[in-house]
Amino acid sequence: MPHKILVVDDEIEIADLIETYLADENYSIFKFYSAKDALACIECTDLDLAILDVMLPDIDGFALCKKIREKHTWPIIMLTAKDAETDKITGLTLGADDYVTKPFRPLELAARVKSQLRRYKKYNPGIAPAASADTLMHGDLVLNKKAHTCTLEDRPLELTPTEFSILRILLENQGTAVSSEELFHQIWQDEYYSKSNNTITVHIRHLREKLGDNADKPRFIKTIWGVGYKIEDQP
């Protein structure tokens, strides 16, 4: 079945342009010009990714992003004004996985959609128990790469695709500091566009909140100043 993509933008020409290019990639598009109509779709549709404009006439894209993150972990790409650094950081803080600045090239947006979907796998309760090679552990934190699940003290953690990728990389490199640049490269390795390292910082902070981690006295993710981040080897 084709992936289901939510597109929300009150500029009709832009929304229609996005729909045209993504439909050519065989995606199923759910297009709306207001957040209110989009919310109704979100409630009754099993979506795979959302593209949200920041400036919407009723509810802004940030509020819509926050609303989505209350129940869903599929990727969110924000459409922001050109060079609006504040918009980018705000979106990432609220749980967005990526951003595209207007004006943008449709093919670039399509490439980012592909990248996000490639990294995102829905949890499938029918998957059989995975081999140990697919399971990463640190105390009572358990991450299953194959099933794309993560639990802490047997409690499921709802992680976004980017948060999951960061935690996976740190767990795979337990005892070794991983720089922000290396995290960036491993997560967006085939992307040709640039991002600020603030992107990693924001996602680390959001991940710590979900883990109940304290940056000053971390149980899991430790900041190695001037180097990067590390999860210590288990004793």
Side-chain angles (χ1 to χ4, degrees):
M1 291 181 63
H3 287 103
K4 299 176 182 178
I5 311 296
L6 176 71
V7 176
V8 190
D9 197 315
D10 64 320
E11 295 185 67
I12 297 175
E13 295 83 0
I14 292 179
D16 291 350
L17 180 66
I18 294 173
E19 179 184 34
T20 297
Y21 273 82
L22 294 185
D24 285 344
E25 298 289 341
N26 296 318
Y27 296 130
S28 180
I29 310 303
F30 296 77
K31 179 182 64 177
F32 300 94
Y33 306 121
S34 71
K36 182 178 179 181
D37 292 337
L39 282 170
C41 172
I42 292 168
E43 289 296 322
C44 63
T45 308
D46 187 16
L47 298 165
D48 296 295
L49 181 145
I51 299 172
L52 312 177
D53 185 29
V54 169
M55 301 298 293
L56 295 171
D58 46 359
I59 305 171
D60 68 39
F62 297 138
L64 183 55
C65 175
K66 185 176 181 181
K67 189 73 174 176
I68 291 172
R69 279 291 173 253
E70 290 175 359
K71 295 182 179 180
H72 306 285
T73 59
W74 27 263
I76 297 174
I77 299 175
M78 303 295 296
L79 299 180
T80 71
K82 183 175 177 62
D83 299 326
E85 187 69 21
T86 301
D87 284 354
K88 298 170 185 177
I89 298 302
T90 299
L92 292 171
T93 301
L94 292 173
D97 296 280
D98 202 356
Y99 54 77
V100 174
T101 56
K102 293 182 177 181
F104 58 85
R105 292 179 294 176
L107 289 177
E108 179 184 357
L109 177 60
R112 297 196 190 193
V113 167
K114 286 182 180 179
S115 177
Q116 290 295 332
L117 288 173
R118 187 165 57 245
R119 291 191 294 115
Y120 177 60
K121 299 176 182 178
K122 289 184 177 179
Y123 170 62
N124 182 354
I127 292 179
S132 58
D134 294 314
T135 302
L136 302 171
M137 301 178 65
H138 185 84
D140 48 16
L141 176 65
V142 180
L143 182 146
N144 189 297
K145 295 186 290 184
K146 185 175 181 180
H148 203 85
T149 59
C150 185
T151 60
L152 177 59
E153 298 176 349
D154 295 322
R155 173 178 57 87
L157 294 180
E158 298 295 331
L159 304 180
T160 67
T162 301
E163 292 163 358
F164 187 92
S165 295
I166 290 173
L167 187 56
R168 173 185 57 77
I169 294 167
L170 293 177
L171 285 170
E172 287 175 338
N173 293 274
Q174 287 186 57
T176 303
V178 183
S179 68
S180 295
E181 291 77 9
E182 180 61 23
L183 286 169
F184 176 88
H185 173 71
Q186 289 199 45
I187 294 170
W188 292 284
Q189 55 186 329
D190 58 347
E191 303 299 339
Y192 54 84
Y193 55 93
S194 64
K195 278 190 177 71
S196 165
N197 276 343
N198 285 335
T199 302
I200 295 296
T201 303
V202 170
H203 285 295
I204 288 285
R205 184 171 70 247
H206 214 58
L207 184 55
R208 279 172 168 159
E209 291 173 358
K210 295 184 178 182
L211 291 169
D213 217 1
N214 186 315
D216 296 326
K217 295 182 178 180
R219 179 183 172 192
F220 298 108
I221 303 175
K222 182 178 181 180
T223 299
I224 309 298
W225 297 107
V227 180
Y229 303 96
K230 176 172 70 170
I231 292 179
E232 298 285 5
D233 274 327
Q234 295 190 75

